[in-house]
């Protein structure tokens, strides 16, 4: 969940490391540190932001090899001492680490029995001392790291330098991403390509259990048993400009505003106007295999899970295949029955979400057919699955997901159309959905044009300590995602319920201090949803309705009218005003919109 940057080459490392760390700030962190090697190790680290770290890095902080790190606390409180990098007792070895060492307590006890004194509360410091001990016994740093990792249980992405071998960096991965960047007579490594795109777009992704040695003139990779591995570089599509705010006050507003373009990219080249079908060659399935599935199971975490609920509804409606979504973190631990007739779909914007990756690996181990819906090309989940759909939404920097959520929901519409047209969805219905998909970008622009009105409503409702979100069937996952957005960036408590369930308990909460955001599409459940609004109003509750028309009989205090599309696709549009509502509420309350407290963009620990 934290950020790693490493450099080796002819240039001064510190400015490169600090810039890379700034580009990783969106991942969430509480402290930062940097180390360079030049006749010994020079280190600076602070509790706080990268900008705070830059202030304490002296001008004469020289070295052509170094490591940078942004930490999200797991072991030990955020502090200068607990910040990474961590040094061995003799200050020879420096380590940065993402992940959790599960047997750190046992390893720490053994080291302390041998007289080692620890400076921090972290699990990472264990690695520094173990590698230093192994380095005294081995000729190479890579062998010392490899030997140390044999005794480690847990997840890690690590980078290591040795003051006695100043021309190299050793990195390793197990469950936490490490990407190599290939420059001109220089090498980079990071936990995210964002840290390196200014300098190179040629990257290599390490697999779990793989290590690499980086030197200025190249790299080599090898497995934990020392066997050499062959890697082919990829060219990433994103460049440094994708990680700028583009004149917007926040990344989140920029990413919300980009959605007409991002969903157009997601659809690009995938719609067939002649046969009214979606072409998804990346699934790696022919029509016969596609028809063989009798159920679809979708797994994801957070907003990915909620988009999976929208996806399950789309697949059931368009393809008439029983479908459901489940949090990946629950799925992987309940010993699920893996059915050969089930198509499993894993969702992750980053492609590195640990719980989802672990669930995919368990499914593969049991013979399940798994496809992925992923934004990051070459990521771990993308490499692990049998096929899938890339979103092509571009980098999503703000911690709260918006454009990736919308593009994922759209990808499910494409998948549902694809599955439906090889089964029983008629050409007429296929044409209807294709035409609806074509209308989406323009309709999203219409919603974005209501930004000023939604900002005023956000100021009105943000003063309340808690809000209820309700919806039925297609509207329920929209309500869940709306509540998630509000609480994660504005810190206003919000919960989502099926509108039909209000009277079974939650209605007791409704009153003047508990406004309700009601998702009311113009579908077959319109009258039932309007009845729910009447129940809320009768109990003194305020109602902000998001729907396709003004309700009668003063059933809502405020209304956000959304353009109408096909009923199956309406949830994609109904989500957009809720993103804006959450954004403007967070701004009104003075929150750190792009980096909400306690959260990280890519969750690579359990």
């Amino acid at each position: 969940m934290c950020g790693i940057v490493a450099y080796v080459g002819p240039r001064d490392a510190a400015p490169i490391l600090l810039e890379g760390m700034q580009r990783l700030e969106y991942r969430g962190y509480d402290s930062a540190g940097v180390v360079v090697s030049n006749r010994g190790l020079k280190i600076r680290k602070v509790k706080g932001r990268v900008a705070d770290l830059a202030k304490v890095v002296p001008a004469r902080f020289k070295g052509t090899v170094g490591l940078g790190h942004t930490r999200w606390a797991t072991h030990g409180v955020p502090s200068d001492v607990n910040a990474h990098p961590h040094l061995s007792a003799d200050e020879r070895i420096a380590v940065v680490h993402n992940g959790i060492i599960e047997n750190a307590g046992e390893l720490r006890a053994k080291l302390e029995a041998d007289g080692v004194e620890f400076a921090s509360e972290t699990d990472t410091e264990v690695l520094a001392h173990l590698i230093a001990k192994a380095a005294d016994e081995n000729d190479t740093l890579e062998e010392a790291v490899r030997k140390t990792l044999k005794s480690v249980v847990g997840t890690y992405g690590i980078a290591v330098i040795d003051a006695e071998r100043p021309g190299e960096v050793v990195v390793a991965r197990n469950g936490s991403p490490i990407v190599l960047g290939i420059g001109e007579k220089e090498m980079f490594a990071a936990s995210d390509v964002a840290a390196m795109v200014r300098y190179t777009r040629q990257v290599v992704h390490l697999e779990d259990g793989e290590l690499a040695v980086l030197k200025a003139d190249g790299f080599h990779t090898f497995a934990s048993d020392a066997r050499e591995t062959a890697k082919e570089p990829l060219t990433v599509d994103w460049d440094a400009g994708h990680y700028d705010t583009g004149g917007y006050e926040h990344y989140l507003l920029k990413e919300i505003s980009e959605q007409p373009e991002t969903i157009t990219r997601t659809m690009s080249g995938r719609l067939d106007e002649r046969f009214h079908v979606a072409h998804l060659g990346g699934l790696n399935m022919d029509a016969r295999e596609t028809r063989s599935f009798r159920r679809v199971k979708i797994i994801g975490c957070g907003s990915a899970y909620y988009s999976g609920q929208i996806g399950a509804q789309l697949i059931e409606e368009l393809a008439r295949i029983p479908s459901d979504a489940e949090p990946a973190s629950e799925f992987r631990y309940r010993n699920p029955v893996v059915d050969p007739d089930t198509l499993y779909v894993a969702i992750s914007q980053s492609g590195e979400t640990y719980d989802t990756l672990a669930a995919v690996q368990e499914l593969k181990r049991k013979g399940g057919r798994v496809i992925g819906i992923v934004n990051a090309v070459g990521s771990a989940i993308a490499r692990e699955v049998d096929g899938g759909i890339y979103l092509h939404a571009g980098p999503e920097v703000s911690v709260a997901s918006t454009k990736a959520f919308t593009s994922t929901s759209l990808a499910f519409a494409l998948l549902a159309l694809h599955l439906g047209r090889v089964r029983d969805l008629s050409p007429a219905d296929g044409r209807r959905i294709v035409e609806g998909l074509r209308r989406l970008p323009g309709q999203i622009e219409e919603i974005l044009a209501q930004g000023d009105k939604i900002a005023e409503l956000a100021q009105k409702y943000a003063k309340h300590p808690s809000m209820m979100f309700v919806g039925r069937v297609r509207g329920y996952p929209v309500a869940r995602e709306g509540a998630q957005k509000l609480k994660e960036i504005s810190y206003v408590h919000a919960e989502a319920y099926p509108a039909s369930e209000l009277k079974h308990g939650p209605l007791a909460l409704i009153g003047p201090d508990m406004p309700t955001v009601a998702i009311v599409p113009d579908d077959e459940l319109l009258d039932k949803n309007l009845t729910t609004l009447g129940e809320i109003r009768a109990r003194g509750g305020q109602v902000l309705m998001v729907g396709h028309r003004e309700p009668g009989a003063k059933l809502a205090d405020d209304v956000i009218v959304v353009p109408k599309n096909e009923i199956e696709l309406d949830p994609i549009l109904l989500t957009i005003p809720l993103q804006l509502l959450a954004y403007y509420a967070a701004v009104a309350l003075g929150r750190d919109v792009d980096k909400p407290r306690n959260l990280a963009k890519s969750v690579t620990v359990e």
Side-chain angles (χ1 to χ4, degrees), residues 278-296 315 321 340-345 368-372 385-389 414-416 418-420 422-423:
H279 287 308
L280 300 173
L283 298 182
N284 300 325
M285 294 187 296
D286 61 22
R288 184 185 298 275
E289 186 176 9
T290 300
R291 287 185 60 86
S292 70
F293 294 111
R294 295 291 174 260
R295 180 174 294 276
V296 177
I315 292 168
I321 305 174
D341 293 334
T342 297
L343 176 65
Y344 297 91
V345 185
R369 181 61 183 261
V370 191
I371 63 172
V385 295
D386 297 301
I389 304 171
L414 296 173
L415 178 61
H418 176 81
L419 294 172
V422 299
R423 297 169 72 88

Side-chain angles (χ1 to χ4, degrees), residues 30-203:
D30 48 56
S31 54
V34 64
V35 63
V36 296
S37 179
N38 183 2
R39 298 178 183 176
L41 300 181
K42 298 179 180 180
I43 187 169
R44 294 290 188 278
K45 46 188 190 172
V46 298
K47 174 188 175 183
R49 298 298 187 188
V50 174
D52 301 318
L53 174 64
K55 292 175 183 176
V56 301
V57 173
R60 296 186 61 79
F61 196 75
K62 303 298 182 181
T64 58
V65 59
L67 311 174
H69 192 267
T70 54
R71 176 181 186 250
W72 189 84
T74 55
H75 290 70
V77 299
S79 68
D80 292 359
V81 171
N82 286 332
H84 298 213
H86 287 286
L87 303 183
S88 57
D90 58 4
E91 298 188 353
R92 173 184 170 182
I93 300 294
V95 179
V96 294
H97 164 229
N98 291 349
I100 294 177
I101 306 303
E102 295 174 8
N103 62 336
E106 173 189 342
L107 296 173
R108 187 183 187 109
K110 290 179 179 177
L111 287 165
E112 287 176 330
D114 290 338
V116 175
E117 294 184 5
F118 281 76
S120 76
E121 304 168 83
T122 68
D123 54 341
T124 303
E125 191 182 348
V126 167
L127 296 176
H129 296 304
L130 288 173
I131 293 170
K133 182 178 179 181
D136 289 336
E137 302 168 357
N138 294 276
D139 294 331
T140 64
L141 179 60
E142 63 186 88
E143 183 60 24
V145 173
R146 193 178 70 84
K147 178 180 177 181
T148 295
L149 294 179
K150 287 182 178 180
S151 65
V152 168
V153 177
T155 60
Y156 54 79
I158 66 169
V160 186
I161 60 175
D162 182 346
E164 295 186 9
R165 299 181 178 90
E168 64 183 35
V169 178
V170 176
V171 295
R173 171 197 170 123
N174 184 51
S176 191
I178 291 290
V179 186
L180 313 184
I182 305 168
E184 185 67 33
K185 300 297 183 181
E186 60 186 356
M187 287 292 300
F188 307 82
S191 50
D192 190 311
V193 295
M196 308 182 292
V197 290
R198 179 178 173 184
Y199 303 101
T200 180
R201 293 170 62 189
Q202 293 292 303
V203 303

Side-chain angles (χ1 to χ4, degrees), residues 499-534:
S500 56
E501 287 291 299
L502 271 185
K503 63 180 72 71
H504 296 289
L507 199 58
L509 296 171
I510 297 299
D513 292 329
M514 172 73 91
T516 298
V517 177
I519 313 304
V520 186
D522 194 356
D523 60 13
E524 72 277 9
L525 296 172
L526 176 62
D527 290 339
K528 294 185 181 299
N529 276 319
L530 293 179
T531 298
T532 300
L533 301 192

